[in-house]
Amino acid sequence: MTQAEQEIRFQEKIDREIKIEPNDWMPDEYRQTLVRQISQHAHSEIVGMLPEGNWITRAPNLRRKAVLLAKVQDEAGHGLYLYSAVETLGTSREQTIDDLHTGKAKYSSIFNYPALTWADIGTIGWLVDGAAIMNQVALCRTSYGPYARAMVKICKEESFHQRQGYESLIKLCNGTPQQKAMAQDAMNRFWWPALMMFGPSDAESTHSDQSIKWKIKRFTNDELRQSFVDATVAQAEILGLTIPDPNLKWNEARGHYDFSEINWDEFWQVVKGNGPCNKERLAARVKAKEEGAWVRDAATAFAKKRAMKKSA
Amino acid sequence: MSTNEWPLWEVFIRSKQGLNHKHVGSLRAPDATLALENARDVYTRRSEGISIWVVESAQIHATDIDEAASFFEPSDTKIYRHPTFYEVPDGVKHM
Ligand SMILES: [Fe+2]
Ligand SMILES: [Fe+2]
């Protein structure tokens, strides 16, 4: 079969909603797009553990501490599911991780913002996991089988992440005026970065069209962002928090909320490595790998020793 | 030394007594003991299983996707293996 015939057959499978599996023929560009997107997603799960992990020892009580620990542990699991999915595309796990450490691969820019107060932890669960869920639910039907299966598993685990965050904010918002102010401050700092999580606007997005055609993506960045805004406004009202956007208002004709233009300058600055925490986050990941090397070495040595004993 | 040397393991979980072990994903580990422990931590954080199998991925032999059509052809052509192939008169019951 010629390349062109294979491409036609591939697109027909996609159009008929037949999932693509690791050993199936696929266009190189489809493979590359998946490697880029899934590894970026995996890195986001892992780097995303850093701002929250920082608060585990400072959680206000044992319940919150256990919950935060469980959430951060989930994110590690999500990273693993996704690294496994990337590996099915013929990349090496080690290389994928090293690409993050050398700055070649990206991760969600939201994690380059610091978690300054306890209210940030609730806000991250509510808005950041909320935005991630919006994206991930759509990806449960993505065309690549291993990615779709990882997403289904992740989505099952995610909803507790958002709910625990919201619950924590409910407490703060019904607490002292200082606690309420702390929650509003967190909202003010996280709202726009959360909207940026959906990526550049459709007009600017380089990979969007082909990804939609291949059904890697089911919705565009702007569609998902709009769904997120529409879902979140009422949740903020119940908390009694103000969304920091004077132009946010219901548009009867569109059936959606209108909102201000995102500060894309800030978005690209953070993507390019100039956000508040980019360097710190990468340094923490590199340090973790280097300082964990002896554990991996010891485990390897122990496995070898045991295998030798068995065969002796 | 790097994790490159750790083999890939496929993880199968029995969610409850009476059901098959089902493939849930994969992970890397230096040996079976650690593969099982890691599988517990990653794939059964919410009581998803009562039994785990791990199999080194390299030990799995699979059919060739490019030959699937001819490989499975013998069964595709034998429609008389299905009960719906046979006609029975309307009045016949319990069949
Ligand atoms: Fe996650
Ligand atoms: Fe999460």
Side-chain angles (χ1 to χ4, degrees), chain A residues 116-179:
Chain A
L116 301 175
T117 70
W118 173 249
D120 287 17
I121 298 305
T123 307
I124 288 172
W126 173 40
L127 294 180
V128 176
D129 287 78
I133 291 169
M134 196 57 85
N135 200 22
Q136 288 166 342
V137 166
L139 284 169
C140 286
R141 290 172 55 235
T142 190
S143 59
Y144 186 56
Y147 192 23
R149 292 191 286 273
M151 276 304 125
V152 169
K153 240 190 321 251
I154 286 174
C155 284
K156 268 190 210 151
E157 301 185 350
E158 279 294 341
S159 73
F160 122 68
H161 297 182
Q162 191 183 23
R163 288 175 70 119
Q164 64 82 30
Y166 195 75
E167 185 203 71
S168 159
L169 285 176
I170 289 269
K171 276 267 190 281
L172 289 179
C173 290
N174 293 301
T176 64
Q178 288 92 330
Q179 285 175 316

Side-chain angles (χ1 to χ4, degrees), chain A residues 35-229:
Chain A
V35 167
R36 187 181 57 241
Q37 183 173 329
I38 305 173
S39 64
Q40 195 168 316
H41 198 157
H43 299 324
S44 302
E45 302 283 354
I46 299 299
V47 177
M49 295 161 74
L50 296 171
E52 290 180 300
N54 193 30
W55 278 90
I56 291 172
T57 55
R58 293 181 283 161
N61 58 51
L62 195 55
R63 180 180 184 270
R64 296 284 169 206
K65 184 175 182 170
V67 167
L68 187 56
L69 196 56
K71 177 189 188 288
V72 172
Q73 199 186 2
D74 271 356
E75 307 299 6
H78 298 174
L80 179 81
Y81 305 156
L82 290 162
Y83 281 130
S84 297
V86 188
E87 228 176 334
T88 64
L89 291 156
T91 60
S92 101
R93 172 91 49 108
E94 188 95 12
Q95 187 61 50
T96 304
I97 290 168
D98 287 345
D99 283 349
L100 169 71
H101 294 181
T102 57
K104 193 178 155 217
K106 302 274 176 242
Y107 54 89
S108 180
S109 54
I110 189 80
F111 301 118
N112 291 315
Y113 291 85
L116 301 175
T117 70
W118 173 249
D120 287 17
I121 298 305
T123 307
I124 288 172
W126 173 40
L127 294 180
V128 176
D129 287 78
I133 291 169
M134 196 57 85
N135 200 22
Q136 288 166 342
V137 166
L139 284 169
C140 286
R141 290 172 55 235
T142 190
S143 59
Y144 186 56
Y147 192 23
R149 292 191 286 273
M151 276 304 125
V152 169
K153 240 190 321 251
I154 286 174
C155 284
K156 268 190 210 151
E157 301 185 350
E158 279 294 341
S159 73
F160 122 68
H161 297 182
Q162 191 183 23
R163 288 175 70 119
Q164 64 82 30
Y166 195 75
E167 185 203 71
S168 159
L169 285 176
I170 289 269
K171 276 267 190 281
L172 289 179
C173 290
N174 293 301
T176 64
Q178 288 92 330
Q179 285 175 316
K180 176 85 184 277
M182 187 164 77
Q184 182 64 56
D185 172 62
M187 172 83 177
N188 294 347
R189 283 179 290 110
F190 276 93
W191 175 251
W192 291 107
L195 292 197
M196 292 177 201
M197 285 175 69
F198 296 95
S201 71
D202 295 349
E204 295 283 318
S205 180
T206 35
H207 310 295
S208 217
D209 281 355
Q210 189 54 262
S211 286
I212 295 261
K213 192 170 165 235
W214 279 334
K215 297 188 183 170
I216 293 174
K217 279 174 146 190
R218 293 285 180 156
F219 301 94
T220 69
N221 295 352
D222 286 338
E223 285 169 344
L224 290 167
R225 185 164 18 241
Q226 181 72 62
S227 306
F228 176 72
V229 172

Side-chain angles (χ1 to χ4, degrees), chain A residues 74 87 94 153 300 306, chain B residues 3 6 24 28 31 46:
Chain A
D74 271 356
E87 228 176 334
E94 188 95 12
K153 240 190 321 251
T300 308
R306 196 151 49 181
Chain B
T3 48
W6 290 3
V24 293
R28 286 194 175 268
D31 61 21
R46 288 173 178 78

Side-chain angles (χ1 to χ4, degrees), chain A residues 126-127 134 162 166 187 191 195 225-245 247-251 254-260:
Chain A
W126 173 40
L127 294 180
M134 196 57 85
Q162 191 183 23
Y166 195 75
M187 172 83 177
W191 175 251
L195 292 197
R225 185 164 18 241
Q226 181 72 62
S227 306
F228 176 72
V229 172
D230 292 348
T232 309
V233 172
Q235 296 168 359
E237 269 165 26
I238 290 171
L239 289 169
L241 293 178
T242 308
I243 292 178
D245 180 356
N247 297 316
L248 183 89
K249 66 166 191 295
W250 179 250
N251 182 326
R254 288 202 313 126
H256 291 292
Y257 281 94
D258 288 337
F259 53 97
S260 299

Side-chain angles (χ1 to χ4, degrees), chain A residues 23-24 73-74 77-78 80-81 84 87 92-94 153 157 160-161 296-297 299-300 302-304 306, chain B residues 1-6 8 24-28 30-31 33-34 41-43 45-46 48 63 65-66:
Chain A
N23 294 327
D24 294 353
Q73 199 186 2
D74 271 356
H78 298 174
L80 179 81
Y81 305 156
S84 297
E87 228 176 334
S92 101
R93 172 91 49 108
E94 188 95 12
K153 240 190 321 251
E157 301 185 350
F160 122 68
H161 297 182
R296 295 190 297 277
D297 290 348
T300 308
F302 184 69
K304 272 195 186 133
R306 196 151 49 181
Chain B
M1 206 182 286
S2 71
T3 48
N4 267 338
E5 293 176 22
W6 290 3
L8 190 64
V24 293
S26 58
L27 51 79
R28 286 194 175 268
D31 61 21
T33 311
L34 275 173
D41 293 345
V42 178
Y43 293 107
R45 286 197 301 280
R46 288 173 178 78
E48 289 94 337
T63 53
I65 193 82
D66 294 323

